[in-house]
C-alpha cells in the first residue's frame, strides 16, 4: 500500500507526472496556482499561498524564483 511508505507514494506521483509529460504530442502546458481558496469554518473564503509541485522544478520547467 502506498500509504505505508510516503516515499513510495512520492515516487508514484513522480512517475505519473513524467508519464503525463512524455505523452504530450506537440505542446505541453504546465500551470500552477499561487493561491488556493477554500471555505473556512464559518463559510468565509480563505486564500492560502501554495508552492508549485516539486516535479516542475525537477523537470526543469520552472526554476527557483520563477514562482514569484
Amino acid at each position: 500500500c502506498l500509504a505505508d511508505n510516503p516515499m513510495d507514494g512520492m515516487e508514484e506521483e513522480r512517475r505519473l507526472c513524467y508519464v503525463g509529460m512524455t505523452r504530450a504530442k506537440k505542446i505541453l502546458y504546465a500551470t500552477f496556482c499561487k493561491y488556493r481558496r477554500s471555505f473556512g469554518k464559518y463559510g468565509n473564503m480563505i486564500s492560502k499561498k501554495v508552492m508549485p509541485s516539486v516535479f516542475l522544478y525537477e523537470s526543469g520547467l520552472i526554476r527557483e524564483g520563477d514562482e514569484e
Side-chain angles (χ1 to χ4, degrees), residues 19-68:
V19 166
M21 288 178 180
T22 56
R23 289 192 178 172
K25 298 293 183 187
K26 294 182 181 181
I27 298 173
L28 172 67
Y29 292 98
T31 64
F32 62 92
C33 62
K34 290 184 179 184
Y35 294 92
R36 293 216 175 117
R37 291 185 178 168
S38 62
F39 288 101
K41 183 176 180 180
Y42 301 105
N44 55 328
M45 187 68 75
I46 298 171
S47 291
K48 179 181 176 185
K49 187 170 183 175
V50 293
M51 296 299 295
S53 167
V54 295
F55 307 128
L56 294 177
Y57 293 107
E58 288 179 1
S59 67
L61 292 173
I62 61 173
R63 296 180 304 268
E64 284 293 327
D66 285 351
E67 69 277 358
E68 295 298 322

Side-chain angles (χ1 to χ4, degrees), residues 1-24:
C1 178
L2 292 178
D4 295 339
N5 185 346
M7 288 308 294
D8 287 345
M10 187 71 137
E11 289 301 317
E12 179 65 6
E13 285 185 41
R14 179 179 287 110
R15 186 188 73 76
L16 290 172
C17 180
Y18 288 122
V19 166
M21 288 178 180
T22 56
R23 289 192 178 172

